[in-house]
Amino acid sequence: MLFFKEQIKALDDKKKAAVLTSLMLITFLLVFHPEFESNDDNAIAAISAGMRGNYNSHLVFVNILLGKIIKIFMNFLPAVKWYVVFQYFFLCLGFAVIFYSVLKLFQSNSAAAYLIIGILILFWGYECFIKLQFSKTSGICGAAGSFLIFTSLKEEEKNWIEIILGGILLLLCSMLRLSVFELVIILSAVIGFALFKNKLKKREGKAIYFCIGTFALITALGIGLSVIDIKIYDSQTEWRKYREYNHLRAELLDRGFPDYLENTEKYAELGITETDILNWTSWNFADKEAFTTETMKAIIAMKNKRKFSLNFLGEFFTEFFTKFLGAFFQERCFLGLSLLLVLWFIYSRKNRSGIFVLIAVILGLNLYFYYKGRYLVNRIDTIIWLMSGLSLIYFMSEESGCINADSKSIRFFLISIVVLNLNAYWLNLTKDVNPQEKINAKEYLNMISQDNNKLYLVSVGSSPENMAYGIFDLPKKGLLNNYYSLGGWQTNSPITNTVLKKYSVKNPYRDVVDNPDIYLVDNYYIDIKLAYIRQRYAENAYAALVKNIFGNRIYRVITKPPALETENIMKADPKLKNAFNCQVVDNTIQINGFAYIEGIDSWKEEFYTIIINQETGEEKYYFSTQKELDGITEPCLERYAGFETIINKYDLSAGSYLVRQILKLENKLYEAGSGKLQIQ
């Protein structure tokens, strides 16, 4: 151990930073379970990996130039999930630069440097490496670039390599997420204030002008990259229309609709009902006739725009001190910032004016977020707390020897770090990951993908993509070619619209009705959707649960019972394997069993139940629900051969009935079982 300690001491700051970053990456990935923080990254990764057919550079929130680079790598080596690889590369680069800057600032006090780096690793390192999210990755790059530039400018001689590297990192930040780049530039003013104050004391005005000029140039270049991104998108009509649609969609779905009860008359003038609002606010807004660009503009115009006034400021500060502060302490990186603040307070207390500037900037940003109606977002706050922490580190570096990192203080901070992170670490380490659920989710999506004669319309929250494919799992190219989400920021984009065009669907909500080739997947909001469809497109519509696979509920939306040509039913087939049971349980008739044809995939089976009154000859037809067979955990042809029909006993009058279970497969009908039933 002593040998390795001496070896590390002998390294220069760049190599030490690289070693620390490598150890952080390896340890986190080996010990913890990394995952995407939000569905946004899953969707972006799916686009870049070609889940809808082709590798695509239109990553929407990420600059298309970076998207094109990722696409080149996907074409060159498609076995790698390059979107994730690039994120981890950018994170490693950003953290290595931050660690290097800290080591450089505290050269005369290496114990203090390692204590600070420990805080950065165990709070921000964990947050970014284990809860991967492109906005946070963008912020790490931006914070690292800004911090490196200020660290370099603190010295009398300019280090052009460091300044250029800092500029590149800031431009990477702008390409990953422009709004985060803007946030980093604003927060950079805090360290800038400290630098200017120091340079003014030394009468080094040129250094101040150089700093302002450097950040002005980088800002201009970042905006320029954004303009190029916009120009490329707008050069394609479909993408230009989508950008406008998505911007309006975000204004409503991210920041809220005007209250229905307070605006009932205005909504009525637009032909919008409470059912419409319920469906749209559940994020299932993919109605191309009702939820249009024009409709969204009209709804947004109904919003009462907040005005800056004394009342508004009073409302904000009340919320800030009663709600915001409590919420901040639930954010891991705010706890890390608190430790750095304690470190500053105990050992430094220098640059108090900088602390006031920092507090003012944090208040100003939260006031802006509150005004816009989108605040307390962890991935954004993570960057605010990092930039604030780096500001405190910069303040302390002005007197680097002030931190007396003796054994007692190190023990105190190490114990504090462990205690503050223990819950998060424990939850991640003990997270219940069921391997069978992942296998089932992956097979479920594969079976849908192979059923390419059908279009699956999927309600938001009813897709097991996140379960099936972890952060490093690469899905099959073209996996979602017949899979269309009824909501989310991808909806109505050229990428997802190609799926609708393939099945000649113009409006999912209208075209799903009585269409045997379109399924509706919904685990939570089927009643709201039915009410919506009845109100707008088919007043007699109802949902028949035709598949219930691993808890995923797949419906046909119909206006009339199914009809079968019963004279074509095959009553005997040597390859048919089946079991049938029918009984009355309480107030329900329960029919269940299984049926499959040897050698044929059971996923494409359809089941129907016919109940025949033996006295009158009247026949009633029902959709039967297809299910997976119990006890089978591995993929096989017969796995989805189960069926179940549950009918209200009072749908039938008293008498004797014949129950026939029908299997439909490859346009052939088979009798899967029959039995007699007596209704009292």
Side-chain angles (χ1 to χ4, degrees):
M1 182 65 74
L2 186 62
F3 171 77
F4 287 112
K5 187 176 180 181
E6 293 301 319
Q7 289 290 102
I8 291 172
K9 277 186 177 181
L11 297 175
D12 61 28
D13 289 343
K14 295 186 182 79
K15 291 178 181 177
K16 285 178 184 175
V19 168
L20 288 168
T21 305
S22 301
L23 289 173
M24 174 175 65
L25 173 68
I26 293 168
T27 303
F28 280 152
L29 295 188
L30 287 178
V31 174
F32 297 106
H33 306 293
E35 60 188 359
F36 287 129
E37 181 179 295
S38 71
N39 290 331
D40 293 344
D41 283 272
N42 262 315
I44 295 171
I47 293 171
S48 67
M51 284 182 75
R52 286 190 169 81
N54 296 311
Y55 304 131
N56 204 305
S57 57
H58 295 82
L59 307 184
V60 181
F61 300 110
V62 177
N63 192 294
I64 196 168
L65 299 178
L66 190 53
K68 287 180 181 295
I69 294 172
I70 294 173
K71 183 179 177 181
I72 290 169
F73 277 83
M74 285 302 305
N75 279 306
F76 177 70
L77 193 59
V80 177
K81 202 169 184 178
W82 284 106
Y83 174 72
V84 173
V85 172
F86 269 88
Q87 279 218 57
Y88 274 114
F89 172 73
F90 294 149
L91 283 173
C92 287
L93 181 60
F95 273 105
V97 166
I98 290 172
F99 297 162
Y100 166 73
S101 300
V102 172
L103 289 166
K104 186 178 177 182
L105 287 172
F106 291 86
Q107 280 182 339
S108 62
N109 191 347
S110 60
Y114 287 120
L115 179 59
I116 289 168
I117 288 172
I119 293 172
L120 292 171
I121 288 174
L122 294 172
F123 286 94
W124 284 273
Y126 176 88
E127 181 69 30
C128 295
F129 278 87
I130 305 304
K131 300 288 185 181
L132 195 66
Q133 209 282 329
F134 72 100
S135 294
K136 291 194 289 191
T137 303
S138 171
I140 293 298
C141 289
S146 173
F147 196 49
L148 181 62
I149 290 172
F150 282 120
T151 302
S152 180
L153 292 178
K154 190 177 182 183
E155 299 175 345
E156 292 185 8
E157 286 191 22
K158 300 181 184 70
N159 187 321
W160 285 101
I161 293 176
E162 292 181 359
I163 293 169
I164 291 170
L165 177 58
I168 291 171
L169 282 165
L170 278 162
L171 294 179
L172 269 177
C173 168
S174 76
M175 295 176 79
L176 281 164
R177 194 75 192 262
L178 183 66
S179 58
V180 173
F181 172 72
E182 295 166 348
L183 181 66
V184 168
I185 293 296
I186 291 169
L187 285 160
S188 295
V190 179
I191 301 180
F193 172 81
L195 178 73
F196 295 171
K197 186 179 171 185
N198 183 270
K199 295 295 182 183
L200 283 172
K201 282 182 181 178
K202 296 179 180 179
R203 300 183 181 276
E204 296 177 4
K206 288 183 179 180
I208 295 174
Y209 294 136
F210 181 83
C211 180
I212 293 172
T214 299
F215 276 89
L217 176 61
I218 292 169
T219 303
L221 290 173
I223 294 170
L225 288 170
S226 174
V227 170
I228 292 171
D229 178 60
I230 293 168
K231 291 289 184 183
I232 293 173
Y233 271 92
D234 287 353
S235 66
Q236 304 164 73
T237 304
E238 278 192 281
W239 279 107
R240 176 173 49 77
K241 289 180 178 178
Y242 164 72
R243 284 186 67 254
E244 181 185 15
Y245 178 93
N246 192 45
H247 173 75
L248 297 169
R249 187 276 314 161
E251 180 63 35
L252 291 173
L253 271 298
D254 293 347
R255 297 182 176 87
F257 282 71
D259 184 85
Y260 181 79
L261 295 178
E262 294 177 4
N263 298 275
T264 305
E265 291 183 6
K266 292 180 180 179
Y267 275 121
E269 290 174 7
L270 297 173
I272 296 172
T273 67
E274 188 171 13
T275 300
D276 295 328
I277 298 300
L278 281 173
N279 193 49
W280 296 343
T281 53
S282 70
W283 278 74
N284 294 289
F285 52 80
D287 187 329
K288 290 176 175 288
E289 296 175 42
F291 197 74
T292 62
T293 299
E294 291 70 27
T295 300
M296 286 190 280
K297 286 179 179 177
I299 296 173
I300 291 168
M302 291 163 50
K303 286 189 173 186
N304 294 321
K305 292 184 178 179
R306 285 178 164 177
K307 295 180 180 179
F308 276 97
S309 63
L310 289 176
N311 286 337
F312 173 76
L313 288 174
E315 178 188 319
F316 165 72
F317 281 107
T318 301
E319 285 281 296
F320 187 85
F321 289 107
T322 59
K323 179 180 178 180
F324 280 55
L325 288 178
F328 290 159
F329 279 100
Q330 301 299 315
E331 296 177 349
R332 189 176 304 106
C333 292
F334 184 77
L335 300 178
L337 174 64
S338 301
L339 273 183
L340 290 173
L341 184 60
V342 169
L343 200 62
W344 172 86
F345 183 80
I346 293 174
Y347 295 114
S348 177
R349 301 191 196 180
K350 294 288 182 182
N351 217 320
R352 296 185 187 185
S353 57
I355 295 293
F356 287 116
V357 172
L358 177 60
I359 292 170
V361 171
I362 291 173
L363 279 171
L365 286 171
N366 279 282
L367 176 62
Y368 172 76
F369 294 145
Y370 185 72
Y371 173 76
K372 298 297 289 185
R374 190 161 168 80
Y375 48 89
L376 295 177
V377 179
N378 178 66
R379 53 186 176 269
I380 299 302
D381 288 349
T382 296
I383 306 310
I384 295 176
W385 307 142
L386 176 61
M387 287 296 294
S388 302
L390 294 179
S391 299
L392 290 173
I393 293 167
Y394 191 88
F395 297 162
M396 288 186 281
S397 73
E398 293 187 353
E399 192 178 356
S400 62
C402 68
I403 301 178
N404 180 21
D406 54 21
S407 58
K408 286 185 178 179
S409 63
I410 289 174
R411 280 200 298 271
F412 165 76
F413 281 101
L414 285 176
I415 292 170
S416 299
I417 291 169
V418 170
V419 169
L420 293 174
N421 280 295
L422 190 60
N423 184 54
Y425 294 168
W426 180 253
L427 288 175
N428 184 277
L429 289 170
T430 58
K431 188 175 182 180
D432 185 18
V433 180
N434 188 330
Q436 188 59 49
E437 287 184 6
K438 183 170 183 174
I439 292 169
N440 291 346
K442 193 172 291 188
E443 187 188 346
Y444 168 80
L445 291 173
N446 284 332
M447 298 311 297
I448 287 178
S449 180
Q450 292 171 28
D451 191 15
N452 53 23
N453 289 325
K454 307 286 186 182
L455 171 63
Y456 289 75
L457 302 176
V458 187
S459 175
V460 171
S462 296
S463 178
E465 290 172 68
N466 295 354
M467 173 65 70
Y469 296 99
I471 196 169
F472 296 113
D473 297 323
L474 187 67
K476 182 179 70 175
K477 189 178 179 183
L479 181 72
L480 303 182
N481 259 341
N482 61 336
Y483 203 78
Y484 184 85
S485 177
L486 290 172
W489 55 261
Q490 293 183 79
T491 299
N492 207 33
S493 71
I495 296 170
T496 56
N497 283 345
T498 56
V499 176
L500 296 184
K501 288 175 183 176
K502 179 181 174 182
Y503 294 91
S504 302
V505 172
K506 294 182 178 179
N507 182 352
Y509 278 104
R510 182 189 290 278
D511 295 342
V512 71
V513 180
D514 288 327
N515 191 327
D517 295 325
I518 302 180
Y519 289 129
L520 175 60
V521 184
D522 195 311
N523 299 335
Y524 307 104
Y525 305 111
I526 191 63
D527 291 337
I528 295 175
K529 283 190 191 57
L530 272 181
Y532 183 84
I533 291 170
R534 286 170 182 161
Q535 172 192 280
R536 285 193 171 270
Y537 302 115
E539 61 182 2
N540 298 321
Y542 66 97
L545 181 62
V546 295
K547 295 178 188 284
N548 188 354
I549 309 294
F550 308 130
N552 297 288
R553 302 172 70 82
I554 302 173
Y555 296 88
R556 282 272 312 278
V557 179
I558 52 178
T559 58
K560 52 191 175 185
L564 299 172
E565 297 179 1
T566 54
E567 64 274 10
N568 295 327
I569 296 174
M570 299 171 64
K571 294 189 177 182
D573 189 296
K575 292 186 177 181
L576 174 65
K577 305 297 178 184
N578 66 303
F580 175 84
N581 179 57
C582 175
Q583 59 184 331
V584 177
V585 179
D586 296 329
N587 295 322
T588 61
I589 301 166
Q590 297 186 7
I591 302 150
N592 52 59
F594 68 85
Y596 63 91
I597 304 297
E598 288 183 321
I600 301 180
D601 180 12
S602 60
W603 176 272
K604 297 180 181 180
E605 292 181 344
E606 297 175 15
F607 289 105
Y608 304 87
T609 300
I610 306 174
I611 298 185
I612 306 167
N613 188 315
Q614 291 192 300
E615 296 174 4
T616 65
E618 180 188 5
E619 296 181 343
K620 285 192 173 184
Y621 291 77
Y622 299 88
F623 284 97
S624 189
T625 304
Q626 181 184 5
K627 304 182 74 175
E628 75 272 13
L629 291 178
D630 293 334
I632 299 178
T633 58
E634 297 296 326
C636 60
L637 292 176
E638 65 270 21
R639 191 175 190 188
Y640 306 103
F643 61 77
E644 179 181 65
T645 310
I646 298 177
I647 302 168
N648 190 325
K649 171 184 172 181
Y650 299 108
D651 283 354
L652 305 173
S653 58
S656 298
Y657 293 87
L658 174 65
V659 179
R660 299 180 70 188
Q661 188 69 14
I662 308 302
L663 163 64
K664 183 178 181 181
L665 182 61
E666 296 183 344
N667 293 320
K668 294 179 182 179
L669 300 176
Y670 303 86
E671 187 156 301
S674 63
K676 292 186 177 180
L677 192 68
Q678 188 70 35
I679 304 294
Q680 302 296 331

